[in-house]
Amino acid sequence: MKYVFTFFLICTFSFANAQVKLLTLSELDRRIAKGKDTTYVINFWATWCGPCVAELPSFEKLKKEYFKRPVKVILISMDFKSKLKSDVIPFVKKHKLKSEVYVINEADQQAFIEKVDKKWSGSIPATLVAMRTRRLFFEKEFANNELEDLVKNIVHGDYKL
């Protein structure tokens, strides 16, 4: 019984840490490039950003609705890397986020912002929709139907990246 309990604790702790990882922009770019026909919907948010937190359910809903389609939702927290264990992981657990969640692993966040999109002021929420080398960047908060309609149009080919 003691071993079962220990195993359960290890699995629980490992799962919690596995759900939120550090990510560099080059790792993100490689993933998008290898995605073939996958459309990536990448939301930049932070635990302390009210509008970001308000729109997270829209991204979770999108992930659930497009589970069987080539659409991946990725949530990238703009919280500092030092806040991973104290803020981001507890936030993800509390809000039961199912999407892939990452924290930026870049020494210079401003350089990261400029590499994501040269027009990005750095304000959040912001969203990048990407397929291979094609990208659309939005520096705004999406209303639920607005995000869903955009992705639906991209997936059905009515809106070209």
Side-chain angles (χ1 to χ4, degrees):
M1 184 67 175
K2 181 172 126 184
Y3 295 111
V4 172
F5 181 72
T6 302
F7 177 75
F8 177 75
L9 281 178
I10 290 170
C11 288
T12 301
F13 183 74
S14 296
F15 176 76
N17 281 334
Q19 191 175 9
V20 182
K21 298 177 181 174
L22 297 174
L23 181 77
T24 64
L25 183 59
S26 60
E27 291 168 332
L28 178 63
D29 284 342
R30 281 194 301 269
R31 181 160 177 195
I32 292 169
K34 291 180 182 176
K36 297 181 182 174
D37 64 338
T38 300
T39 299
Y40 290 91
V41 180
I42 303 159
N43 179 251
F44 300 94
W45 65 286
T47 57
W48 45 264
C49 169
C52 302
V53 173
E55 76 172 357
L56 284 176
S58 298
F59 288 92
E60 289 290 289
K61 182 180 175 191
L62 191 69
K63 178 200 179 322
K64 188 176 179 181
E65 289 180 5
Y66 285 88
F67 178 70
K68 293 184 178 179
R69 295 189 174 224
V71 175
K72 292 284 184 194
V73 174
I74 297 175
L75 305 175
I76 298 182
S77 171
M78 299 297 285
D79 289 270
F80 290 116
K81 187 169 65 173
S82 63
K83 299 291 184 183
L84 174 67
K85 290 183 180 175
S86 64
D87 294 1
V88 180
I89 289 175
F91 182 92
V92 169
K93 284 181 180 178
K94 178 181 175 187
H95 294 275
K96 300 177 181 170
L97 299 180
K98 302 294 182 201
S99 298
E100 294 178 54
V101 180
Y102 297 93
V103 173
I104 297 171
N105 189 18
E106 295 283 348
D108 184 351
Q109 285 202 356
Q110 187 60 40
F112 175 86
I113 288 167
E114 291 170 6
K115 287 178 186 174
V116 169
D117 191 281
K118 290 180 181 175
K119 295 178 184 170
W120 188 11
S121 72
S123 70
I124 50 176
T127 301
L128 174 68
V129 180
M131 181 191 283
R132 293 188 189 161
T133 58
R134 296 174 289 172
R135 294 172 178 232
L136 281 175
F137 184 75
F138 303 90
E139 188 171 346
K140 65 179 209 163
E141 180 181 355
F142 276 98
N144 188 25
N145 291 339
E146 186 182 15
L147 177 63
E148 193 174 323
D149 289 346
L150 173 68
V151 172
K152 187 186 305 179
N153 288 333
I154 291 171
V155 168
H156 292 284
D158 298 333
Y159 193 105
K160 299 289 182 193
L161 287 179

